Amino acid sequence: MVRLFESTGDGGARAALAEGDAALLRSLFMQVLEMIGPGPAESDDPLAALFAEGPSRPPADPALARLFPDAYGDPEKPVDQEAVEASAEFRRYTETDLRTRKRDDALAVIRTLGGLGADEPLLLSAQECPRWLGATNDLRLILGTRLEVTEDDDFFALPDDDPAKPLAMAYLWLGALQESLLEAMAG
């Protein structure tokens, strides 16, 4: 797997990455792109594009609902109709842009990985690091939702034959990767 990131001294980061690891990461981020879905239809009218509305209902998939949560209300409290309506209106005007940003971040990661030569280190500029951080966070949110992560989970205690083990190890590894990227960005 990828060694953790280290600082390049200019706000960027560097990590050693084997070809197989790059292929695995590309595959995971391609799946993120598939989940997020295609971008909005292109419009020749810039004013129409500016006022385009997105969905007003939360996604049915729990992982997507985690990426695009309601803006109002408390999931621990009974449903408040006013919060539901406010969330729907907020979602209608923000989710399309949020999906575009998340899609662009995942694409940036895929492009960076696609440009690597054999045994070439992964070098991220100061501008690429936040995109990687955001995309990696999105992937961890998806994996965490699929695993139904709680504070009490001990993924290291999972038996090797547990079907959740590979997903759990990827979740933990991505967390370490994120932490090292943050530290590298801080210099």
Side-chain angles (χ1 to χ4, degrees):
M1 276 294 182
V2 175
R3 289 191 193 135
L4 300 181
F5 282 102
E6 55 189 43
S7 175
T8 57
D10 58 358
R14 169 184 40 247
L17 185 64
E19 282 185 57
D21 297 334
L24 174 64
L25 284 171
R26 272 193 306 275
S27 173
L28 289 170
F29 283 107
M30 289 297 292
Q31 291 176 52
V32 170
L33 283 176
E34 288 176 19
M35 285 185 70
I36 293 171
E42 294 293 321
S43 173
D44 292 334
D45 182 357
L47 190 57
L50 183 64
F51 290 104
E53 293 183 12
S56 60
R57 295 177 190 238
D61 180 339
L64 282 176
R66 184 72 175 100
L67 287 183
F68 307 106
D70 281 334
Y72 303 100
D74 185 346
E76 303 295 321
K77 294 183 180 176
V79 175
D80 173 7
Q81 190 57 35
E82 190 175 310
V84 169
E85 290 170 9
S87 288
E89 186 168 342
F90 184 81
R91 180 181 302 282
R92 187 170 39 251
Y93 295 110
T94 61
E95 187 170 315
T96 300
D97 288 341
L98 185 56
R99 281 181 183 266
T100 298
R101 184 180 58 80
K102 290 181 179 301
R103 189 178 305 103
D104 289 349
D105 287 350
L107 280 169
V109 169
I110 292 166
R111 287 183 185 121
T112 306
L113 291 168
L116 286 180
D119 298 322
E120 183 180 346
L122 173 63
L123 291 171
L124 302 178
S125 68
Q127 294 76 28
E128 292 169 317
C129 284
R131 298 194 103 167
W132 264 74
L133 197 57
T136 305
N137 188 63
D138 291 343
L139 180 55
R140 281 195 80 234
L141 286 172
I142 291 167
L143 294 177
T145 302
R146 296 287 189 246
L147 290 165
E148 298 179 353
V149 171
T150 67
E151 290 181 24
D152 299 327
D153 287 330
D154 181 8
F155 293 127
F156 292 109
L158 286 175
D160 288 341
D161 62 347
D162 189 312
K165 182 90 176 204
L167 206 57
M169 293 299 103
Y171 175 81
L172 294 172
W173 175 74
L174 285 166
L177 192 69
Q178 273 185 300
E179 184 177 349
S180 72
L181 181 53
L182 277 169
E183 290 172 0
M185 289 168 67

